[in-house]
Amino acid sequence: MLKTHREFFNLFLSLFFILGTFFCVAQEKQDTYIPLLSYLSELESRFTIKFSYVDKDLEAIRVIAPNSKDLTAILKDLEVQSQVIIQQLNERYFTVTMTTITVCGTVLNYLENGLEGADITILEENIATITTSDGSFFIENIGPKAILKIKYLGFKPYFIAADQLTSTSPCKKIWLSPIYQELDEVIVYDFLTTGLKKQQDESILLRTANFGILPGLIEPDVLQTIQALPGIKSIDETVSDINVRGGTNDQNLILWDGIKMYQSGHFFGLISAFNPYLTDKVTIIKNGTSAAYGDGVSSVIQMVSKNTLSDTLFGSAGMNFISADVFGQIPITNKVGFQFSGRRSITDFVNTPTYERFFDRAFQDSELMDQNTNDVIDQKEDFYFYDFTGKLLYDINEQQKLRFSFISINNVLDYQEENSTTSETTKSTLEQTNLSIGANLESQWNADFLTRVNIYYTRYNLDSDNKVSNSVQELSQRNQVLETAVQLNSSYTFSSLLNWENGYQFSEVGITNFTNVTQPPFRSNTKGVIRTHALFSELNYSSYNKKLWMRAGIRANYIENIDTFRKVVIEPRVNMAYTLLEAVKVSFQGEFKSQTTNQVTDLKQNFLGIEKRRWVLADENTLPITQSKQASIGISYDKNKLYVGLEGFYKFVKGISTLTQGFQNEDQFNGELGQYTVNGLEFLINQKTRTLSNWFTYTYNNNRYRFNSLTPSNFPNNLDITHTLTLASTYTYQNLKLGVGLNYRSGRPYTKPQEGSAAVNTNTFPFVINYQNTNSSRLPDYLRADVSLLYDFKITKRIKATMGASVLNVFDQKNILNTYYRLNDANEIETIENLSLGITPQISFRAFF
C-alpha cells in the first residue's frame, strides 16, 4: 500500500474512534491525478467492497477521481481512464485486470537479414520467447505498457514499448546494432609472499604448501589470505562476508573439489571452515572467468585438495587458541589412497584470550549480550564447531583417475538464561551445518583428448529454536538448501597453440524457509526449486612467440523455476594478455554472469542475532535472476624484483533487492528491486629480495545503488568503501619469518535518523524511525595494525614443527564496523554500534610427519 494512502487511512481511523457514530469519507472534487491503487482502497472503504488485483500491474496507473456517487458509473469511468477491466464476481467482490494486447515484430541486422534465435523478454513478467528462422516473433496477452527487451549475441540489447508493436500486417521491423569490442592481454608472478602467484589469465593462485607468512596470519587460512589482495576485503572482518569489487558475499561462487559450498565459516564467519593443509591450491578469479563456471557474479573461489597418490604416509597435527586439528594421507595400495582431516574447537573446554575476543565480536549484537535489565540474569552458553573431510583417490589406470570427496561443517550453540528475580528461563539453540559429497572421473583418451565428469550433492541447514518456560511462546526457524549437480567437460588440443573446451552442466537447487511462532500464531513454509541446464564452449589460443594469449567462450543457461518462470541467459566471456615489452604486459577481461541463489538478510535479531542471512531462490517476481556485466583492463611491470600492477574495472549488477543488501533503515523490509554500478582502480607495488618483501596496495571504488522506487533513487552502496590501503612487509631469516602490516580504509555509508522530534513517527503503530536520506552519512575511517611470527624447527629427522604467534589490532584501535538504530520499549531511539576485534592474540603449534 502506498505511503500516502497509509497516512490518509491512519487519519481516517483516528476520526472514526473519536466520532464513534458514523463511517464516511468526504471527498472533494479535484482535477489532479491520484494513484489508482489508492483510489481503489478508498472505494473499498466507502462502498464496503473488495477488489482483487496484482499490485505491480496497477502501481504505475494514475487517474482523476470520478465526479459521481454511483459505484457503477465510477467503475466505468475508471475503465475508460486506465484501460483496465473491472468485473463483478458477486455482490461484494470485484476483479481488476489489465487490458492485454498482441504484439509482433521482425528482428533484423543492418543487412536486413532476419536474426534467428534472438531472445525476446517481457520485463517484469514471466514471458519470454525467441525469434523464428526469419527473425519474427509473436506474443499474446501482454500489457500495453510492458517493455520488451531484445537480445542477440554480438548485438546491443534493444528495448521497446509493447504498444509500439501492436499486431498489424506487416509486423514492425526492428534493426539491432552490432557490438564492437577491442580485446587486450595478461601475466604470471610470485608476489606478496611465497605461495601466491598471478597466473596468465590474471587469476591468483595460492599454493598452501609453499605459503610463507602474512601480517596477522600464522596459518594459511584460505579466506583470510585472499583478503590481502587488492579489491578483496571483508567489510565486517569475517570470512563469511567477503566483498569482491563491491559485491556481497552471496555473489561469490565458492567451490571445494568442484562442489558448491553454501557455508564457508566457523565461529559465525571469523574462521575459515576449510582445512588449509589438505587444500593443495586455491584459485581466485575476479573477472574473465572461464565459461565452464556458472553462478558467482562477483568472483570464483576454487579450492582443490591434494589430488595425487603418495606411496608413503604423511600428515600433520596442530593446535591454537581456538581449535585442534589433524590431517593425513594413507596409501592403501599402489592405486588407492585415502586422505582425511578433522578439526574441532576447544572453546567448550577452555576459555582463551582469543576465544573471548572472538566471542565478544560474534555475539555483540545478539540477545546473549543484550541485557538491558536490573534483574539478576544467570547465563550459560555452550558453543563449539567442527569439520572433517575425506577423499578417496583411485587411479584406475594411467589414463583414468577417479576421486570421491566428502566434507562436513558444523557450528552448534546452546544458550540458557535464567532470571533469578522472575524465575523465568529461556533456552535457545542454533545449529549451522553443511554436508557435501562428490565424485570426479578424469579420462585421458589420447594425447589430445581429455574428458572430466563431476557429480556432487550438497546440503546446507540453518536451524534455530527459542523457548520461554513461563510463556506459551516458541520460535522455530529453518533454512535448508539442497543441490545436486553434474558437469561434463571435454578438452581437445589441436596444437600447442590452440585448445578447444566444451561442456554441459545440470544443477537442481531446492531451498526451504520455515518459520513457526506460537504467540502470536504465525507459520510460514516456503519452498522452491530451480533447475539449470548450461552448455558452454571456449577456445584457448597462444601465439607462436608467446606474446599473445587469449581465451574466449560463451555459456548458455536455460533456467527453470518450476513454479514461476523459464528463461534463457547467454553469457559471453573473454580474457586476453599481450606482452608489449620484455617486462610490460597489458590485459583485458570481460564477462557476463548470472546467479539464481541469493541470501536475504534478516535484521530482526532472528537466529539469536548472529546468523541473519538466509538463502533464497530467484522467482523473477519478488527477486529476479541476478545478472552482471564486468570489464577490466590492466597493465603490469615486473623486472629486477619489482612488480607494479594497475587495473581499472567497471561492473554492473542488476536484479538485486533491498532484502539481499543488508539495509538497516526504513527500506530494509520493503523488497524493492534495483541495481548497482561499481567503477574502480586497483594498484599494487611489490618490491622483493631474497629475504624481504614489501608491498603497498590501494583500491578506489565508486559503488552506487539505483532503486527507482526509492527516494532518492541513486545513493552510495552499503559496501561503498571509497579508499582502501595496505602497507606491509615480510622478512625471512633462516627458520624465522616475520610479518607486519597496516590496513586503512575509509568509512562505510550508513543512515542516520532525522534530528529532534521528527526522528520518530508516532502516527503509525508500532512507531517507526524517520531516517535521513539513505546512506548519507559515513562511519569513521578504519585503521588496524597486525603482526605475526613463525619459527620452523625439527623435532626428529622425519618430524618438522612450526610455532607461531600473531596479534591482530596491535594498538587496540576501536573501529566501528557498522552503526544502526532501533526503538526500545519506551519508543526511544537506541544507537547500536558493531565494533571490530580488539587486540587479539593467537598462538599455534604444528607438527608435520
Side-chain angles (χ1 to χ4, degrees), residues 162 167 184 192 204 282 404-405 556 625 786 806:
S167 182
D184 286 75
L192 304 191
I204 305 298
V282 183
F404 295 97
S405 300
I625 296 172
D786 305 321
S806 67

Side-chain angles (χ1 to χ4, degrees), residues 31-227:
D31 293 327
T32 58
Y33 284 91
I34 60 174
L36 176 59
L37 287 176
S38 177
Y39 189 64
L40 291 177
S41 297
E42 181 182 325
L43 293 178
E44 289 179 334
S45 299
R46 193 197 307 181
F47 294 100
T48 317
I49 58 177
K50 201 70 178 176
F51 292 102
S52 175
Y53 50 80
V54 178
D55 285 25
K56 71 174 184 177
D57 287 347
L58 309 183
E59 60 186 7
I61 300 177
R62 303 178 71 84
V63 297
I64 297 175
N67 185 21
S68 175
K69 295 183 179 180
D70 178 66
L71 177 61
T72 302
I74 291 173
L75 297 183
K76 286 184 178 179
D77 192 336
L78 292 179
E79 285 184 323
V80 173
Q81 288 192 62
S82 58
Q83 294 184 324
V84 299
I85 301 173
I86 304 177
Q87 184 177 0
Q88 186 170 2
L89 300 179
N90 53 39
E91 194 171 298
R92 185 182 178 195
Y93 288 93
F94 295 77
T95 62
V96 183
T97 57
M98 289 290 298
T99 303
T100 61
I101 62 174
T102 299
V103 300
C104 71
T106 302
V107 181
L108 306 170
N109 61 17
Y110 66 98
L111 296 175
E112 298 211 4
N113 296 321
L115 296 176
E116 179 182 3
D119 183 27
I120 315 296
T121 304
I122 312 300
L123 300 183
E124 307 295 334
E125 298 187 29
N126 298 320
I127 301 175
T129 187
I130 59 174
T131 55
T132 60
S133 58
D134 63 351
S136 63
F137 65 90
F138 183 87
I139 305 176
E140 298 179 308
N141 300 323
I142 67 172
K145 300 300 182 183
I147 301 296
L148 282 74
K149 180 180 180 180
I150 303 172
K151 294 192 306 178
Y152 192 81
L153 182 63
F155 292 82
K156 296 179 181 178
Y158 187 87
F159 298 86
I160 189 170
D163 56 12
Q164 297 182 40
L165 296 172
T166 51
S167 182
T168 58
S169 181
C171 294
K172 183 179 180 68
K173 293 181 178 180
I174 302 167
W175 287 271
L176 298 187
S177 301
I179 295 175
Y180 297 100
Q181 291 182 318
E182 293 183 6
L183 307 178
D184 286 75
E185 94 147 273
V186 155
I187 203 163
V188 186
Y189 290 113
D190 269 326
F191 66 110
L192 304 191
T193 188
T194 57
L196 275 176
K197 296 179 181 290
K198 177 170 281 192
Q199 301 188 102
Q200 192 175 36
D201 63 355
E202 285 294 292
S203 64
I204 305 298
L205 176 65
L206 167 63
R207 289 278 188 179
T208 57
N210 302 323
F211 181 76
I213 190 172
L214 287 174
L217 286 180
I218 49 178
E219 296 180 298
D221 186 303
V222 172
L223 300 181
Q224 291 283 6
T225 299
I226 66 175
Q227 295 182 46

Side-chain angles (χ1 to χ4, degrees), residues 185-189 578-581 583-587 634-636:
E185 94 147 273
V186 155
I187 203 163
V188 186
Y189 290 113
Y578 186 75
T579 303
L580 289 176
L581 303 170
V584 179
K585 295 188 178 183
V586 295
S587 63
I635 184 169
S636 60

Side-chain angles (χ1 to χ4, degrees), residues 340-357:
F340 67 92
S341 74
R343 173 172 49 173
R344 192 192 188 282
S345 63
I346 61 173
T347 54
D348 49 339
F349 301 112
V350 59
N351 282 353
T352 65
T354 308
Y355 170 73
E356 291 175 355
R357 299 295 187 275

Side-chain angles (χ1 to χ4, degrees), residues 373-390:
T373 176
N374 294 321
D375 295 342
V376 178
I377 305 295
D378 294 326
Q379 294 176 292
K380 180 182 178 182
E381 71 272 352
D382 183 16
F383 171 74
Y384 64 92
F385 63 81
Y386 63 84
D387 62 73
F388 55 91
T389 66

Side-chain angles (χ1 to χ4, degrees), residues 237 321 352-361 782-787 806-815 835-842:
E237 293 187 331
F321 274 177
T352 65
T354 308
Y355 170 73
E356 291 175 355
R357 299 295 187 275
F358 278 17
F359 189 89
D360 291 344
R361 166 67 185 86
Y782 175 99
L783 183 66
R784 192 180 88 179
D786 305 321
V787 299
S806 67
V807 180
L808 298 175
N809 198 1
V810 175
F811 302 116
D812 202 19
Q813 180 79 13
K814 182 182 178 182
N815 291 306
L835 301 180
S836 65
L837 282 170
I839 183 170
T840 306
Q842 177 68 289

